[in-house]
Amino acid sequence: TPWLQGDQFDAVMNYQFRDQVFDFFVNDKTNVDQIDWGLEGLRNRHPESVNYAMFNVLGSHDTARMLTMAKNDINKVKMMALFQMTYVGAPVIYYGDEIGLQGEMDPGCRAAMPWDPAQHNQDLKAYYKRLIQLRNQYPALRRGGFRSVMRHNDNRTFAYVREDQRNKLVVAFNNHTRPQDIAVDAARVNLPDGTLRDLLTNRTFQ
């Protein structure tokens, strides 16, 4: 915090964000309330301009690889990537995480990038590309407001809204081992006509 008063750094590597994400999605150390409150606490520490510039890392040269941390669970990696790309701050992808590169702590986390496409997880790479496309397409994901609209600790489901004057995006997570319906109060989202479009599948529904 002393470095982020406007006279030194614009932002820092947000390892505290990383800890919150891994503790909820991978380590099962926290429930939905705790990740929401924890992230709110981090946002309240700094001016809004700093929060939007924070260097939101999930992998780096000093940490084990995302897929390794997630015990090879691609769905966990996808959820964390979705969270990173739709949360407040600047998402930073450590090279190779987008293709499923694995590795423990140093030197494993600093392995050379495999350039052969045959060694890439093409499904994961396409998912990352889609998330980046959506973040570029909707300014609300970059500069919009953030508010949680649903938390359910027992079901480990969580939803929030990113919004600006033009768009309102609902991001919902099922961090449970079973498929679940996720109920979100439409009044809290305040949709003009009650219609939602799934930006990952392009399906529309009420």
Side-chain angles (χ1 to χ4, degrees), residues 50-113:
V50 171
N51 288 327
Y52 282 114
M54 286 297 267
F55 207 76
N56 287 348
V57 294
L58 291 177
S60 82
H61 59 279
D62 286 326
T63 66
R65 288 282 179 176
M66 283 179 68
L67 186 57
T68 301
M69 291 281 293
K71 301 178 179 62
N72 298 323
D73 189 333
I74 288 290
N75 286 327
K76 294 282 188 183
V77 172
K78 284 184 172 181
M79 280 197 294
M80 290 189 290
L82 176 62
F83 195 91
Q84 180 189 36
M85 289 292 172
T86 58
Y87 186 67
V88 179
V92 180
I93 303 170
Y94 184 50
Y95 77 92
D97 282 347
E98 80 284 2
I99 61 166
L101 194 60
Q102 298 189 56
E104 297 286 350
M105 297 296 289
D106 193 5
C109 54
R110 303 187 189 205
M113 177 72 173

Side-chain angles (χ1 to χ4, degrees), residues 37-58:
W37 295 337
L39 290 170
E40 182 180 15
L42 290 181
R43 293 194 305 274
N44 289 338
R45 286 187 191 178
H46 309 301
E48 188 176 64
S49 59
V50 171
N51 288 327
Y52 282 114
M54 286 297 267
F55 207 76
N56 287 348
V57 294
L58 291 177

Side-chain angles (χ1 to χ4, degrees), residues 2 13 15 19 23 30 48 54 73 75 95-96 103 115-117 129 144 146 155 164 170 175-176 193-194:
M13 294 180 74
Y15 279 109
D19 292 343
D23 280 350
T30 57
E48 188 176 64
M54 286 297 267
D73 189 333
N75 286 327
Y95 77 92
W115 295 111
D116 181 359
K129 285 184 174 182
F146 174 96
N155 292 342
D164 59 15
V170 181
N175 191 32
H176 204 287
D193 59 0

